[in-house]
Amino acid sequence: MKPRATVWALALVLATCAAAVHAQAQNQNSQSAGPSSPSPATSSPATGGGYGKRPTGAGRGVSSANDPQPYDPSQVTPDANTLAGAQLFGVGSLEHSHNVFDPSFSVSELGQTFPGASGQTYLSSATLVGGGLNFNRVWDRYRMTAIYSGGETFNRGYFNLNSPFHNLTFIQEIDWARWHLLLRDDFIASPGAAFTGSGMGGPGIIAQVASTLESSLNSIGQGFVPSETIQTGNATRYRNAVLGQAEYSFSRRSAFTVAASYGLLQFTAGSFISSRMLNAQAGYDYMLDSADSIALLASYGKIDYAGTSTSTTNYLGALAYGRRITGRWAFQVAGGPEQIRTSSASGGFQLWYASVSSALTYERRRNGYSLSFMRGLDAGSGVFQGAKSNIFTLTAHRQFTRHWTGSVTGGYAINSSIAPAGVASARFDNWFVGGSFGRQLGLHALIAFNYGVQKQNSSAACPVTGCGVNGLQQSFGMTVNWHLRPNG
């Protein structure tokens, strides 16, 4: 995808959101002018609350209250994801049954250190100018969500170049009686790996926005999107994953879900390996009680690598267990045998692997955290033609006082190239930690101080030209952020 096409795609999404807001305003005006009528009945508990209600006013403008609103689990819209679906279990959302229109603007000033090939450390600085949009629209049995953040990084010193970055997620959900349909697109354009936020401000900036994104969106399973967990040198890449999912409820306790995604990881320069992936998954869920669920699922995946005849396929069967309490916590785990097959012009081989995926989210009045772990096949992050990966991520946030907040994010990834039994694999280990501490300035502004650190180690020479240099990288700085929607 070319940069010009990317800009047009982003403009189209923003125009769609603006049109929906305009239509909502006309609808509310016509309702206020005409006679009042009873509100439609709300949807059944099986489909979550709020879908049968008339849309409420968008959360924007000036609020009369300056104090943060207390976190009340009883006001949370229940999460309706299934274990066999592509989206992970969540505790629910305060925004899923409300209309939200919240554009934002931010400026960050960062100092950065980078390891050099000769063991020296280089110092650089960067200015990030960006914006974002948090959009949610609910009407009848439909819900549309769009989350965007992006901007331009102006580097000085070690890199001395400018690089744009974009991160967009678009979701459309539909409820029809026993059916629940989901359409989703996740797009990222950046000069570095999305796992550590390289080229997008680094781990410190990511820590500022991670809790906001998690409260607005349900995270997608890592097996449905191309992986970027190996730190490479500066190289613009485009990552996109399109997902479709259909769920049919046999009863309040049981449901069948089928999901399919198509993803790409495209590099515009260097010798990095671009890839295309297809993933399909189906499964049967059964609720043991109001909190506990079990599921049986099966999936198929195929990855092709640009410019080569190599491809990898995988077959997976798994058992899953999940438990969630609306507004408090959600946990899920799935595991089973995975068969990996690789084929190329020179032949092929197959191997067996133990696949595991798990996620935990916990939320309290003033703090919360989420953990995730994935073990399985991925596309190799542009460095390998397929890799066995173990990926762990952590996000935590806390409201210390009425005005002061803090957040932390971190991750650790082990990537090993796919090789036949008895043949040594090349390996990359990559970890990062980022933290942010901020204070609200009035109703709409926030100032935050952030720090991030990341390091990559490899056991062998890089198989492509342009892998990131091993060693410690750090970033530190300050961000000023303004939102149309009031804080709290």
Side-chain angles (χ1 to χ4, degrees), residues 267-290:
F267 292 87
T268 61
S271 61
F272 300 107
I273 305 170
S274 298
S275 59
R276 306 286 188 273
M277 64 177 289
L278 174 68
N279 188 282
Q281 180 170 289
Y284 175 79
D285 281 69
Y286 184 79
M287 293 183 63
L288 301 174
D289 51 43
S290 59

Side-chain angles (χ1 to χ4, degrees), residues 7-50:
V7 174
W8 279 109
L10 298 178
L12 178 60
V13 171
L14 296 179
T16 302
C17 296
V21 172
H22 179 67
Q24 171 195 333
Q26 290 182 331
N27 185 35
Q28 291 175 341
N29 291 337
S30 62
Q31 289 174 0
S32 61
S36 60
S37 60
S39 298
T42 58
S43 60
S44 66
T47 60

Side-chain angles (χ1 to χ4, degrees), residues 210-234:
S211 60
T212 302
L213 293 177
E214 287 181 356
S215 66
S216 303
L217 296 173
N218 291 309
S219 298
I220 190 171
Q222 293 174 337
F224 288 89
V225 294
S227 173
E228 286 186 86
T229 53
I230 297 178
Q231 183 63 37
T232 67
N234 251 21

Side-chain angles (χ1 to χ4, degrees), residues 23 149 228 258-259 369 404 415 446:
S149 63
E228 286 186 86
V258 59
Y369 60 81
W404 289 95
N415 296 273
L446 173 74

Side-chain angles (χ1 to χ4, degrees), residues 307-388:
T308 74
S309 61
T310 303
S311 66
T312 54
T313 57
N314 67 303
Y315 303 86
L316 169 68
L319 295 174
Y321 166 78
R323 179 177 176 84
R324 57 187 166 194
I325 299 176
T326 297
R328 289 300 185 192
W329 66 289
F331 169 75
Q332 69 181 90
V333 61
E338 180 179 22
Q339 185 188 59
I340 301 173
R341 298 179 181 179
T342 179
S343 62
S344 64
S346 59
F349 60 90
Q350 69 177 39
L351 55 90
W352 288 90
Y353 199 56
S355 176
V356 178
S357 62
S358 182
L360 170 67
T361 301
Y362 180 78
E363 196 71 37
R364 297 284 293 183
R365 181 175 180 271
R366 288 184 174 270
N367 58 77
Y369 60 81
S370 63
L371 304 162
S372 70
F373 174 75
M374 192 279 289
R375 171 185 167 90
L377 173 72
D378 66 46
S381 305
V383 175
F384 298 132
Q385 294 180 12
K388 297 178 294 182

Side-chain angles (χ1 to χ4, degrees), residues 455-470:
K455 186 178 182 180
Q456 179 166 278
N457 298 306
S458 61
S459 61
C462 180
V464 297
T465 303
C467 285
V469 178
N470 291 339

Side-chain angles (χ1 to χ4, degrees), residues 194-197 202-211 214 368-372 392-397 406-412 431-436 450-454:
F195 182 63
T196 60
I205 298 290
I206 289 180
Q208 295 179 24
V209 300
S211 60
E214 287 181 356
Y369 60 81
S370 63
L371 304 162
S372 70
F392 172 81
T393 60
L394 162 69
T395 299
H397 63 90
S407 56
V408 175
T409 185
Y412 180 67
W431 63 266
F432 73 93
V433 176
S436 176
N450 60 77
Y451 172 77
V453 58
Q454 62 189 79

